[in-house]
Amino acid sequence: MGNLFDFMAHGFEQFFQYTAFPHFTIGHIVMIIVALAFINLAITKEYEPLLLIPIGFGILIGNIPFLQDANLQIGVYEPGSVMNYLYFGVIKGIYPPLIFLGIGAMTDFSTLLSNPKLLLLGAAAQLGIFGAYIIALSLGYLPEQAAAIGIIGGADGPTAIFLASKLAPDLVGAIAVSAYSYMALVPVIQPPIMRLLTTDKERVIRMKPPRSVSKLEKILFPIVGLILTTLISPSAMPLLGMLFFGNLLKESGVTKRLADTAKGAMIDIVTILIGLTVGASTQATTFLTAKSVGIFALGAVSFMIATCGGVIFAKVMNLFLKEGNKINPLIGNAGVSAVPDSARVSQVVGLEYDKTNHLLMHAMAPNVAGVIGSAVVAGILLSFFMG
Amino acid sequence: MFLGLLQQTAADTSAAIIHKNSVKFLELDPWGIGMAVIGYLVVFAALLFLYLIFANLTKALNLNIKRLLRREGKAEEIKEDQSISGEVNAAIAMAIHLYYSEMHDKEDTVLTISKVSRTYSPWSSKIYGLRQHPRF
């Protein structure tokens, strides 16, 4: 009888070891709270719900502790687990180009083509990437880590994941979560900076309405755009190639089915996989470090610098533009490539000062230019470190 | 297994190259200013190049269209101002928004008729069944 009790006690003890309870740490609880905050923000505030819900739920999945070294093959970092296979697409940079294909198939470059000078705002806002790079270096991060952190300022989740997976694979989780979090917080971060850097007179500048763009121009853009940008930055080929390919699928008018798949089911599937696995990669044991906290702080700084870069450059451009062709500096913030959130911020802030001044169409131009710009920067950084 | 080994070797090689370049960067450009300046100039150059090409390509295409229309004697069809005003864009956006919001997918799936109990109803009131004598 005693043996039976010993056996049962041992069985219970063993079972208890296999449950999550004995392995819970403060870190896991913190991460679960972060996950719940993400899900709450997505549902109640509707901040980037398509990203924050998968990431938030992924964080929950990744932070249910389990018995390590038991070869359970369930964790995202355990070779052979399902999550590990799915995470393969993140660490090998497979998902970001597929997302870019979908973005290309969704994006209308007409506003950019009708006013191509707004491309320069997309370049100006990349200041955030290099500003954050310099600050990260001064804080003691290695150059390749600083570059991967800096790309958060491009406000482009797939680009950030793509670059981080190549340059600093151990920081992918922190960088991705930081990039997506700040992308969701664009409506909170950008408006105060935009108001601070502009005058009342500048905020009510009416821009010339965009002209209608011919089909030929729309078809030529992805072809010429690809050739030009990848000649300068060939390392960005996986991203820019897919972006422009997706756009040609859309604009050619003869591959509607492919364009529909790229911007519909395919991008949805990849978004689910990337969001969930990136979230799951934030296990408290590997994620909650001083480095990750630093990455979060640097992410915010890079977003702010990028916003300043765009707004200030729009003001500089105005010095050289004739009356009637001036740019409303409130669209400068849209140079960060959080599409279409930052363009929406331009519209909302613009309407606060003039109820009939619609800036959304104009802001979409630097917004999509920012996508191209951040992909070019990712290519430049890759060529610096891997060349 | 061989493929896995090959992939591992490739990954190790990339990591070694990155590390080598990283050390070089720390030596030559410890503050990152040089890299930032070069990178910023390159991205500016790339997008400036794209701007110049498209600003001129558009002009060239428009000139070509105008020449063709003039040759066909349809010069009056050439419109100088092809812009769409912000109000028109806003109206189009609103129309599309209304169109899509019309296709509501959040419907109440409860189809039962809710019972409302009223003690009085004009349908059952006798007073409406009687002739009303006018009062003077």
Side-chain angles (χ1 to χ4, degrees):
Chain A
M1 199 67 177
N3 282 345
L4 179 67
F5 279 121
D6 283 348
F7 171 73
M8 283 173 69
H10 177 70
F12 271 120
E13 193 191 327
Q14 201 171 6
F15 170 73
F16 186 68
Q17 282 303 316
Y18 273 88
T19 65
F21 299 107
H23 311 290
F24 250 113
T25 61
I26 296 288
H28 290 111
I29 295 166
V30 169
M31 289 309 293
I32 287 173
I33 292 169
V34 170
L36 296 177
F38 273 30
I39 294 170
N40 180 42
L41 274 179
I43 295 171
T44 56
K45 301 269 180 190
E46 289 195 31
Y47 285 168
E48 293 272 358
L50 299 182
L51 295 169
L52 288 192
I53 294 245
I55 292 178
F57 207 81
I59 297 174
L60 278 182
I61 291 175
N63 283 284
I64 302 296
F66 56 87
L67 185 62
Q68 300 285 336
D69 307 324
N71 200 26
L72 294 173
Q73 294 192 337
I74 46 175
V76 74
Y77 294 116
E78 287 188 307
S81 75
V82 175
M83 292 304 277
N84 185 258
Y85 279 116
L86 297 177
Y87 192 51
F88 187 77
V90 173
I91 53 172
K92 290 291 167 193
I94 297 167
Y95 297 145
L98 292 176
I99 289 194
F100 261 62
L101 178 68
I103 293 171
M106 274 191 230
T107 308
D108 185 358
F109 286 102
S110 310
T111 47
L112 189 63
L113 288 169
S114 77
N115 196 357
K117 64 175 172 287
L118 297 180
L119 266 164
L120 299 178
L121 291 180
Q126 307 311 318
L127 186 69
I129 297 177
F130 297 107
Y133 170 76
I134 292 171
I135 298 170
L137 265 185
S138 64
L139 290 176
Y141 286 91
L142 292 171
E144 68 272 25
Q145 292 176 336
I149 295 166
I151 202 78
I152 298 171
D156 197 330
T159 307
I161 291 171
F162 181 76
L163 191 71
S165 69
K166 306 271 181 200
L167 295 184
D170 50 325
L171 300 181
V172 170
I175 288 171
V177 170
S178 175
Y180 282 120
S181 310
Y182 290 123
M183 278 165 69
L185 292 174
V186 154
V188 180
I189 298 171
Q190 289 193 324
I193 299 170
M194 291 158 70
R195 289 190 195 106
L196 186 74
L197 295 176
T198 51
T199 62
D200 283 342
K201 199 180 159 194
E202 285 170 333
R203 289 178 209 134
V204 292
I205 291 177
R206 280 184 176 258
M207 292 177 66
K208 210 170 146 187
R211 67 176 174 83
S212 52
V213 176
S214 70
K215 191 179 173 185
L216 181 62
E217 284 173 87
K218 286 185 189 176
I219 292 173
L220 281 176
F221 183 73
I223 299 167
V224 178
L226 172 75
I227 295 169
L228 283 181
T229 50
T230 51
L231 277 177
I232 291 171
S233 178
S235 311
M237 183 82 78
L239 297 175
L240 290 172
M242 293 301 239
L243 177 79
F244 288 124
F245 172 52
N247 192 245
L248 185 62
L249 289 180
K250 172 183 181 280
E251 300 298 354
S252 67
V254 289
T255 48
K256 192 175 173 302
R257 268 174 54 192
L258 301 186
D260 285 346
T261 305
K263 70 179 177 190
M266 199 203 69
I267 198 170
D268 290 347
I269 291 168
V270 183
T271 304
I272 290 169
L273 294 178
I274 205 169
L276 201 67
T277 50
V278 160
S281 72
T282 62
Q283 287 180 1
T285 43
T286 55
F287 185 77
L288 273 185
T289 60
K291 253 185 191 170
S292 302
V293 176
I295 289 170
F296 258 76
L298 283 167
V301 172
S302 63
F303 259 66
M304 289 174 194
I305 300 174
T307 308
C308 293
V311 175
I312 291 170
F313 194 75
K315 287 162 73 99
V316 173
M317 281 174 82
N318 276 344
L319 297 176
F320 302 97
L321 292 170
K322 286 182 218 155
E323 203 61 48
N325 278 336
K326 297 232 186 250
I327 298 169
N328 189 320
L330 289 180
I331 67 165
N333 72 301
V336 303
S337 54
V339 182
D341 293 359
S342 48
R344 211 180 289 148
V345 169
S346 305
Q347 164 83 357
V348 170
V349 178
L351 285 180
E352 281 174 20
Y353 297 94
D354 181 352
K355 293 270 177 242
T356 57
N357 195 6
H358 299 281
L359 293 174
L360 186 66
M361 292 291 282
H362 305 290
M364 280 309 291
N367 213 184
V368 292
V371 177
I372 301 171
S374 56
V376 171
V377 174
I380 296 166
L381 293 172
L382 266 183
S383 59
F384 268 123
F385 287 99
M386 298 186 86
Chain B
M1 188 182 160
F2 182 68
L3 190 69
L5 204 67
L6 212 64
Q7 280 178 338
Q8 187 57 43
T9 314
D12 290 346
T13 314
S14 315
I17 292 169
I18 291 170
H19 179 69
K20 195 182 83 186
N21 287 330
S22 171
V23 171
K24 205 166 70 185
F25 268 105
L26 277 178
E27 273 173 24
L28 301 173
D29 185 20
W31 297 104
I33 308 239
M35 221 271 278
V37 170
I38 296 169
Y40 201 48
L41 287 179
V42 173
V43 69
F44 241 101
L47 293 185
L48 183 70
F49 204 25
L50 206 58
Y51 155 60
L52 291 174
I53 295 276
F54 273 91
N56 292 306
L57 185 77
T58 308
K59 280 180 196 159
L61 285 173
N62 284 343
L63 275 176
N64 199 29
I65 292 168
K66 281 178 191 172
R67 209 184 58 219
L68 283 172
L69 285 172
R70 280 204 188 94
R71 197 182 293 165
E72 290 170 17
K74 295 176 183 169
E76 70 278 2
E77 286 183 23
I78 303 168
K79 282 189 278 180
E80 283 302 324
D81 186 19
Q82 295 177 317
S83 57
I84 307 162
S85 73
E87 282 78 7
V88 173
N89 279 325
I92 294 169
M94 184 54 137
I96 293 171
H97 170 73
L98 284 177
Y99 173 74
Y100 281 111
S101 57
E102 194 101 335
M103 296 159 74
H104 44 90
D105 55 0
K106 283 180 193 167
E107 287 203 33
D108 191 357
T109 48
V110 181
L111 296 174
T112 49
I113 299 165
S114 51
K115 188 183 172 188
V116 180
S117 64
R118 279 197 194 119
T119 49
Y120 166 79
S121 164
W123 297 101
S124 61
S125 175
K126 280 183 183 172
I127 191 119
Y128 294 110
L130 301 172
R131 176 180 290 220
Q132 301 288 306
H133 291 290
R135 287 184 182 174
F136 298 103

